[in-house]
């Protein structure tokens, strides 16, 4: 599948930029020009201006392979936001020569296994998960792109629900930029969001000792909230990856 894409810059370190679920390549418009190199941002299949198609991890990675060949990106640094961050890890597994991969707050679905939360009583955890799942279900009713087949697949995909086991297999230098503030949610769901983050902080050092974690004072929308800071973090990581 040929993806819609946009190129930023003309030389230096190549970057491949991957947006999150429901997003498109426009999310990188401010950040991409601040990277130290040549960047290509894509619309993933079923998103933005790219064609529709069934979601299968290997097929999506094939799309990205086709894009890198088309643009002549040899061993790009892959930077992904949310879903794109999970794909960045998968790309690094498929391409062991990948010089570095960065996930911008792409790690676990907000509705993951109850064991992945920390510090919340079980009854409150179960109530919060039921409430959040109901909100997500209602939200999906209003979304036309990506289509229901993609959102349904991802919502239950083990890699989307918890990408930490994928991260743990990465041999390329890997950076996870973790948001420390919550997106606007109903007040009764704030404890669930805090427990989700606490579970990540608990589990990352043991499950993914290979992953470098950088926390940032931003929400999940960090790419548009703090583009200059994110670009600086990525540039520093890439330039110092041999010490990561």
């Amino acid at each position: 599948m040929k993806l819609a894409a946009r190129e930023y810059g003309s030389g230096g370190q190549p970057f491949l930029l991957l947006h999150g679920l429901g997003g498109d390549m426009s999310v990188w418009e401010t950040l991409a020009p601040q990277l130290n190199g040549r960047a290509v941002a894509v619309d993933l299949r079923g998103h933005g201006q790219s064609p529709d198609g069934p979601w299968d991890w290997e097929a999506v990675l094939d799309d990205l392979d086709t894009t890198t060949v088309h643009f002549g990106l040899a061993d790009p640094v892959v930077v992904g936001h949310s879903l794109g961050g999970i794909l960045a890890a998968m790309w690094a597994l498929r391409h062991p020569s990948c010089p570095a991969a960065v996930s911008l707050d792409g790690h676990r679905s907000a509705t993951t296994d109850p064991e992945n939360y920390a510090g919340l009583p079980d009854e409150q955890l179960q109530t919060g998960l039921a409430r959040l799942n109901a909100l997500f279900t209602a939200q999906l009713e209003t979304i036309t792109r990506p289509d229901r087949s993609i959102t349904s697949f991802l919502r239950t995909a083990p890699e989307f629900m918890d990408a930490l086991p994928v991260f743990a297999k990465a041999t390329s230098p890997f950076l996870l930029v973790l948001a420390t503030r919550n997106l606007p949610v109903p007040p009764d769901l704030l404890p669930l969001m805090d427990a989700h983050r606490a579970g990540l902080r608990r589990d990352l050092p043991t499950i993914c000792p290979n992953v470098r974690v950088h926390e940032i004072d931003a929400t999940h929308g960090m790419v548009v909230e703090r583009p200059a800071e994110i670009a600086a973090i990525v540039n520093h990581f890439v330039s110092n990856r041999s010490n990561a």
Side-chain angles (χ1 to χ4, degrees):
M1 181 176 292
K2 294 183 178 179
L3 303 181
R6 180 177 176 184
E7 188 173 9
Y8 300 85
S10 58
Q13 172 67 57
F15 290 86
L16 179 63
L17 307 180
L18 311 176
H19 62 77
L21 178 62
D24 59 49
M25 60 184 164
S26 67
V27 73
W28 303 106
E29 286 180 353
T30 303
L31 191 154
Q34 301 183 66
L35 295 173
N36 293 336
R38 174 190 176 215
V40 172
V42 302
D43 283 342
L44 298 171
R45 63 165 57 195
H47 292 74
Q49 301 173 52
S50 288
D52 290 317
W55 192 277
D56 171 85
W57 296 118
E58 293 304 313
V60 172
L61 292 170
D62 288 345
D63 296 344
L64 300 177
D65 276 331
T66 299
T67 301
T68 58
V69 170
H70 175 81
F71 283 93
L73 299 181
D75 283 336
V77 171
V78 184
V79 182
H81 173 237
S82 194
L83 169 63
I86 298 171
L87 283 168
M90 294 180 176
W91 172 275
L93 292 182
R94 178 184 273 207
H95 300 274
S97 62
C98 176
V102 180
S103 174
L104 304 176
D105 216 39
H107 35 67
R108 283 171 170 165
S109 168
T111 53
T112 179
D113 190 288
E115 294 296 322
N116 293 334
Y117 301 82
L120 203 61
D122 184 66
E123 183 176 352
Q124 188 177 3
L125 173 59
Q126 296 298 338
T127 300
L129 283 173
R131 168 106 159 100
L132 189 59
N133 270 303
L135 288 175
F136 283 164
T137 298
Q139 185 181 42
L140 291 178
E141 294 292 333
T142 68
I143 295 174
T144 58
R145 204 148 198 275
D147 65 29
R148 190 66 56 82
S149 68
I150 292 178
T151 55
S152 297
F153 173 89
L154 289 172
R155 195 170 180 186
T156 57
E159 301 87 350
F160 187 75
M161 293 184 69
D162 185 6
L164 269 59
V166 180
F167 295 174
K169 298 176 185 176
T171 57
S172 303
F174 196 97
L175 173 67
L176 171 64
V177 181
L178 182 63
T180 61
R181 289 194 284 116
N182 296 318
L183 284 167
V185 295
D188 61 312
L189 288 177
L190 290 174
L192 183 69
M193 298 297 96
D194 291 339
H196 182 270
R197 190 176 300 106
L200 284 165
R201 287 172 171 152
R202 176 197 64 197
D203 296 339
L204 280 163
T206 54
I207 297 176
C208 309
N210 57 312
V211 174
R212 186 170 181 177
V213 180
H214 184 108
E215 297 196 2
I216 183 173
D217 182 26
T219 74
H220 187 67
M222 61 176 69
V223 176
V224 293
E225 292 172 1
R226 311 289 287 272
E229 185 174 351
I230 295 294
I233 291 168
V234 172
N235 287 332
H236 182 267
F237 178 71
V238 172
S239 64
N240 294 277
R241 60 186 180 272
S242 60
N243 300 317

